[in-house]
Amino acid sequence: IDWEMGYEAVVSDAEEEPKWWSYEGRGGLESWKSLHYIPIHDVDILGQGLLTRSVSRTVEYAYDDFCIGEMAAKLDRKEDQVKYHERAGNWQNLYNENQISLINEDDTGFVGFFQPR
């Protein structure tokens, strides 16, 4: 495995939005980088794709960035390691630790859920 080439590919995916991101890469990168989450009513002027799944995309991008941070650590790229590990925490911007779960208005006892913003 050419780890340098692989690293370039994952960083490109994290930083450069393709025109048709429904098929490859990430969409909403402008929001991801500035707001630190994908909003439910995102406006994406850089590319085209389904503006759906704001919560799952936020969690996915956070996980992806964690993995890039791990690769950066192994490749001794300290600045990138810090950058991507920080972005890996962006999932917290959609997590509501106080949100309760109700079924037919009955409290299920479960607390803490992701919510779109």
Side-chain angles (χ1 to χ4, degrees):
I1 296 174
D2 182 338
W3 288 105
E4 291 296 331
M5 186 185 322
Y7 184 74
E8 286 179 31
V10 296
V11 167
S12 173
D13 188 57
E15 301 297 335
E16 301 168 22
E17 185 169 323
K19 183 172 181 166
W20 302 103
W21 53 263
S22 282
Y23 305 106
E24 64 176 336
R26 300 185 194 186
L29 287 181
E30 194 170 87
S31 294
W32 177 247
K33 292 175 187 179
S34 65
L35 300 173
H36 310 292
Y37 65 93
I38 304 295
I40 191 170
H41 298 296
D42 195 22
V43 175
D44 190 343
I45 61 170
L46 300 176
Q48 294 182 0
L50 295 174
L51 297 174
T52 59
R53 306 177 296 109
S54 66
V55 173
S56 63
R57 286 173 49 217
T58 295
V59 173
E60 175 187 335
Y61 294 1
Y63 176 74
D64 294 345
D65 284 348
F66 172 79
C67 293
I68 294 171
E70 292 295 290
M71 285 182 75
K74 295 293 184 184
L75 294 170
D76 200 32
R77 295 175 181 242
K78 301 295 184 198
E79 286 182 34
D80 283 359
Q81 177 186 359
V82 170
K83 172 185 177 177
Y84 289 106
H85 278 164
E86 283 177 0
R87 283 185 10 182
N90 287 351
W91 63 270
Q92 297 172 76
N93 294 315
L94 297 186
Y95 184 74
N96 181 347
E97 65 183 24
N98 299 312
Q99 179 60 48
I100 62 171
S101 172
L102 301 173
I103 296 179
N104 297 324
E105 298 185 32
D106 292 326
D107 188 342
T108 64
F110 295 103
V111 179
F113 295 92
F114 289 100
Q115 295 182 302
R117 287 171 68 177

